[in-house]
Amino acid sequence: MEVENLKSYRLLLLGAEWQIEAFRAQKNSSDVFHFVSQVSYRTVLSSLQDDPQRQFYSELEKVDVLFLIYEKHYSEEFIKMISEIKHKIEVVLIHHDEDINLKVVINEWNVKKIISFEDFSKISVAMLAPIFKKINAKHIKNKIIKDISVQKKQLDELILKQEVIVNEKTQDISHSTKEEDKKLKKERVILRFIKDMALVNSFEDFLRVIKNEFKVFHEIGEILLFQKKTDKLFKVLFSKNYFQWKEIPFSHALSEESLNDKIIHSLISIQLANSLSRPFGKLKLSQLSNESFIGFENQLSDIHKVDFEEFLHDRIEVIHMAHEKLFLEITMVQFSNRWEKTFDLIDEPIAIIDENYQVLRSNSFFEKNLHSLKCYEMFAQRTSVCLGCPLKETIESNSAQKRDLNITKSNFELYSYPMKSTFSLRSVVHNYIDRTQEKKLYSRLLQTEKMLSIGRLAGHLSHELNNPLTGIRSMVQYLKTQVAAETTAAKDLVEIEKATERCFKVMNNFIEFSNPKNTNFVAMNLDEIIQKTIPLLKVPLRSHQLDLQLASQNVEILADPSLVQHVIFNLIQNATQAMKEKGTILVSTDVSKKKISLKISDSGEGIALENQSLIFEPFFTTKPEGEGTGLGLSIVKSVVENSQGSIRFEPNHPQGATFIIEWPIYENTNH
């Protein structure tokens, strides 16, 4: 702050007369002193005693900074004065090395700064800068308060003027209250009519609401709705004891131009009277659309006709809108019904499904479980998404997809199409084409062709191999008679003979598989066959644990025991080969619902999902080349089905495989 700026502040030095004189003697030692006024304690006390109106207080409160020279003894009047003005001015205490009661001067006098007389004689603007900063803030605050006071006064004047204007307008409004009330009542009645018309859902309700609205006119008779079929043939909805439609021919065409033609109105009234078999009054027509009109039968006088025209004019737009809305709704419902009927007549399952697998729409051939919302629950009776479902891919690629799905023992060809959905989520259309019978027929055709090929191959192999094998076996049998029984050569000959027997057996199985013939079917106990077969598998079973649970001792099946033994042998051997490490094989039988079931289960790696549908196919094998022919499970399936049985595969969780064979229980009718 510059020294010249001190002119804007009121600075006052208060002390004893001798102290004031000392100050004056040193006045030139500081530039601040030129702006400080002086007054003695005696002058102040005299002014306080002679100032009942407190004018001196008012003047003193205008001071910005009071420099107070400390005295040990002050009069009560002086102390009271300091206490009253301490919050309105800034007090700086000057002392001559006296002991000062700091608690009093700071707390009770609100002193902001204490300096010695020597420092005061050298006081500068910089030393007083914090005090002047606080004074500036106080000035700004006082100015804001003053401005607010002025604005408040102006606002009070404005409010007063507005109150005068409001009072004047209130007087004007009071003169038109009756007219406004009448208008408001009229609007409320029309609003109620709009609400009633918004709720109609048939043309009968449409006329009923209009009839109720116009009942204030007792001269109004029948209210009719005309719908054009041809220029001179209309369907007319009217109410006798109940609403009904009737086709009525007119001699003149109804159009917008003929609405005000009284002659045409009279002719129509005559034709309506003939059709309704009663006298018919005058007719007031109003057009609702190009194809529809509304008519009011009436006996209105000229006076009441004006009121009716005004009443109708206020409501005709509402009637037009309600009629158009109702017409569109009914048209949409009819269109929707036709679409749904067409949709349901398609004998293939079709559904609209969103990206969360929720079924939005579907036809009757899709809805198998109406209590579910997910497509896989509703159609496939699954708890998870169908294997191979293309929905996500269809949405992401925005292109049609095709998949073959196995659902509830049926084979479907699924076509998945993306669609521009009106729903919040993206959706697709799924069309399922049942190819089950077609696949079965195709599989049978392939199987027949395979069997023919295998038959031809078996016949050729039998012819080419049986003759050499017969010669080998004959030669072996002869050589056995020429060597000693316990020699190495004799043992080798026995093994060669066994090998030829196995070759004959393989060839016979091959021929039997390709061309099944009557086998030796007898009543047999399944548990006994299992117990006879297990010892033959001692070597492959020695690394695994066998769990036998046999429960069909008292029932029999009709089958060839040797072939059933072959089936059991083959399945258990496959189970041991599927377990690379030590595992468990469960062999169990059970009797239920006139069937005997055989389960053979292992804890191996299981069968890959992509191979599960191929395991019973001839020549299919997952074993390395040279280790399997692919005929094992095919022969098993053939043997089981030839004995009226069935076989199926089920995966174990978390790993392993189970083969389940079911035969009907044999009941001997001769007993």
Side-chain angles (χ1 to χ4, degrees), residues 1-13 23 26-39 63-67 120 123-125 128 132:
M1 180 189 293
E2 300 296 333
V3 175
E4 289 75 9
N5 293 337
L6 293 177
K7 294 179 183 179
S8 59
Y9 299 96
R10 298 188 64 181
L11 311 178
L12 178 64
L13 176 66
F23 165 73
Q26 299 179 0
K27 188 172 182 179
N28 294 327
S29 62
S30 172
D31 292 337
V32 176
F33 291 165
H34 295 288
F35 303 98
V36 180
S37 302
Q38 309 98 36
V39 63
V63 172
D64 292 315
V65 183
L66 174 63
F67 298 100
F120 180 66
I123 197 166
S124 65
V125 175
L128 297 175
F132 288 133

Side-chain angles (χ1 to χ4, degrees), residues 483-532:
V483 297
E486 298 300 327
T487 62
T488 302
K491 292 179 181 179
D492 291 341
L493 289 171
V494 170
E495 291 301 320
I496 294 171
E497 186 178 18
K498 288 181 180 179
T500 57
E501 290 295 334
R502 283 198 300 272
C503 288
F504 277 118
K505 190 174 181 180
V506 168
M507 289 306 303
N508 289 334
N509 285 340
F510 204 20
I511 294 170
E512 178 64 29
F513 173 72
S514 62
N515 185 23
K517 60 185 178 180
N518 293 331
T519 52
N520 184 25
F521 282 175
V522 295
M524 53 163 279
N525 183 269
L526 183 59
D527 289 2
E528 292 178 0
I529 298 298
I530 294 172
Q531 289 171 343
K532 290 179 181 179

